[in-house]
Amino acid sequence: MAGTAGTPGTPRVLRAMNDRAALDLLLEHGPLSRTRIGKLTGLSKPTASQLLARLEAAGLVRLTGTSEGRPGPSAQLYAVDPTAAYAAGLDVTPHRIRAAVADITGRTVGEHELHTPGRRPARSVVQQVTDALDGAVKAAGLARSDVHRLVIGTPGAFDPTTGRLRYASHLPGWHSPALLDDLAAALPMPVEYENDVNLVALAEQRLGAARGHEDFVLLWNEEGLGAALVLGGRLHRGWTGGAGEVGFLPVPGTPLVRQVTKANSGGYQELAGSQALPRLARELGVPDVPSGPHHDVATTLVARAADHASGPHQELLQAYATRLATGLASLVSVLDPELVVLSGSTLTAGGEVLRALVQAELEELAAARPRLVVGDVREHPVLRGALESALAATRDEVFDTSR
């Protein structure tokens, strides 16, 4: 097991491996009896009893009751102790920070949302982050020091060589070269940073439409257009963290966008990003185009279009599907993924109708033929991915009984 101390094959290491296997089974299946744990792990009853006693003494499992409805004496049931550790996640956008805390079982126990309007943050980013985290911690009835690990999801990505945020010029206050050091000094727990779309892919891989898939592309369309690339079961982040920033991708059908990082846009974003949908709808004569933030308008238009079988609404959906497939064709031609997951409110609003149109267009435009699916993780997917990432690292640490 990765990160396990000691010599492979020694009794201490083997016990730690059995402990982790049992804890993972309890997370997956819920409360289990000693006999059931023994059968699932292949351990004898005495060994399973010793394992459970060891985990109970370590504060990792606890008795939750007894089995009922079966012949013979009732069996004691064990479950992972949810208070063994806590992890937190943050989802950062230019307009708000959404925070949540989960116990070690993955159950969300506290949430908070901090609005951050304006081009110039009234409070420093460090203050915003700590305020958002503290709000979720307070809602959980905990203290900041109870959180073992924090994962922060942002647009763009922090360059691993410079520590500076790239590809997200629209996120005010997050570009200071000292930001990561300042956050590390202000927060008592280890902090990791990840691209928001990558976290959505992680959520879909662990909880949603990409479960069981080693190679897939997730296409995201909400406030911005982006992708996550999972190859061999692992996220591909690229040299500077910019893998998946497909909004900058030059595509047919739009003029070349030069100095894309200054413009914070590119050909694919201009062609198929949510800001293009209201203009396209007006050109096609779609009635009653609403006003408001472009991603909200785009989501409303796509949802309406998916409910209409003909007329301007259907023309809009077909045009949107063609634009989406135009950029996807480049991705799948290079990566040849097994699966493409469509996510983000502007894409999921189209449901199966939009998915089928994009699938048909992609099969005309690309030699590769991946299967397209609509993402399953709809409620706060960036935050859910941040929690899943934080929980995975926390469990690796807390569940390691070899130390």
Side-chain angles (χ1 to χ4, degrees):
M1 184 174 67
T4 298
T7 304
T10 63
R12 183 178 182 182
V13 171
L14 293 174
R15 282 196 299 270
M17 293 173 66
N18 289 335
D19 290 349
R20 181 59 191 266
L23 289 164
D24 287 342
L25 286 168
L26 289 169
L27 286 174
E28 181 180 358
H29 297 286
L32 295 172
S33 67
R34 180 199 63 180
T35 301
R36 184 63 177 154
I37 290 173
K39 287 181 178 178
L40 290 172
T41 58
L43 299 175
S44 66
K45 288 183 179 181
T47 302
S49 295
Q50 293 170 4
L51 178 151
L52 288 168
R54 187 165 59 246
L55 294 180
E56 191 173 12
L60 296 177
V61 303
R62 66 185 186 186
L63 284 167
T64 61
T66 57
S67 61
E68 297 178 357
R70 294 183 179 181
S74 298
Q76 292 181 320
L77 297 177
Y78 294 83
V80 172
D81 188 338
T83 67
Y86 298 91
L90 264 63
D91 170 16
V92 178
T93 75
H95 313 296
R96 53 105 185 114
I97 300 177
R98 185 177 288 131
V101 176
D103 65 34
I104 197 70
T105 69
R107 183 176 67 92
T108 299
V109 294
E111 296 180 89
H112 183 71
E113 186 166 313
L114 177 72
H115 294 282
T116 57
R119 292 296 302 169
R120 296 186 178 215
R123 290 171 284 183
S124 71
V125 164
V126 173
Q127 189 65 54
Q128 290 177 352
V129 167
T130 54
D131 285 352
L133 176 62
D134 286 345
V137 166
K138 182 179 179 181
L142 302 170
R144 191 191 295 180
S145 58
D146 291 323
V147 177
H148 279 64
R149 185 172 296 267
L150 171 66
V151 171
I152 300 176
T154 68
F158 284 91
D159 190 320
T161 60
T162 67
R164 300 193 67 165
L165 184 66
R166 303 187 65 187
Y167 316 108
S169 60
H170 62 300
L171 195 62
W174 283 77
H175 300 88
S176 165
L179 176 60
L180 299 189
D181 289 337
D182 292 343
L183 284 168
L187 295 167
M189 75 291 292
V191 184
E192 296 178 6
Y193 304 87
E194 184 59 89
N195 171 262
D196 52 1
V197 184
N198 282 349
L199 291 175
V200 177
L202 181 62
E204 290 290 350
Q205 185 181 33
R206 296 191 177 175
L207 306 171
R211 291 185 72 174
H213 293 276
E214 293 288 304
D215 297 273
F216 69 93
V217 169
L218 181 134
L219 184 68
W220 169 268
N221 198 0
E222 203 156 288
E223 292 190 39
L225 187 65
L229 317 176
V230 177
L231 307 173
R234 300 182 66 182
L235 280 165
H236 176 69
R237 296 176 176 86
W239 180 250
T240 64
E245 293 290 340
V246 296
F248 300 121
L249 185 72
V251 292
T254 58
L256 286 175
V257 178
R258 299 189 183 275
Q259 296 185 323
V260 294
T261 54
K262 290 184 178 180
N264 200 42
S265 189
Y268 197 22
Q269 181 69 40
E270 296 300 316
L271 183 71
S274 55
Q275 81 273 21
L277 268 293
R279 182 174 62 251
L280 178 60
R282 294 185 186 98
E283 291 173 357
L284 294 172
V286 173
D288 301 323
V289 176
S291 59
H294 59 73
H295 60 280
D296 291 340
V297 173
T299 298
T300 299
L301 288 169
V302 171
R304 288 179 185 173
D307 290 334
H308 288 72
S310 61
H313 287 97
Q314 186 60 24
E315 292 178 38
L316 173 64
L317 203 64
Q318 180 62 66
Y320 182 42
T322 301
R323 292 180 175 207
L324 291 169
T326 300
L328 273 175
S330 296
L331 289 177
V332 303
S333 295
V334 173
L335 299 172
D336 191 21
E338 177 185 5
L339 189 75
V340 173
V341 180
L342 303 179
S343 187
S345 61
T346 309
L347 290 172
T348 58
E352 175 59 24
V353 178
L354 177 61
R355 185 215 63 80
L357 290 172
V358 178
Q359 179 87 65
E361 286 290 275
L362 188 59
E363 290 178 358
E364 294 286 335
L365 296 174
R369 300 290 177 87
R371 183 168 63 92
L372 268 66
V373 296
V374 180
D376 286 338
V377 183
R378 305 289 181 88
E379 185 175 1
H380 309 325
V382 176
L383 185 59
R384 188 67 248 175
L387 286 174
E388 286 297 314
S389 179
L391 283 165
T394 299
R395 288 166 182 163
D396 284 344
E397 177 185 350
V398 174
F399 287 173
D400 183 0
T401 59
S402 67
R403 287 178 279 182

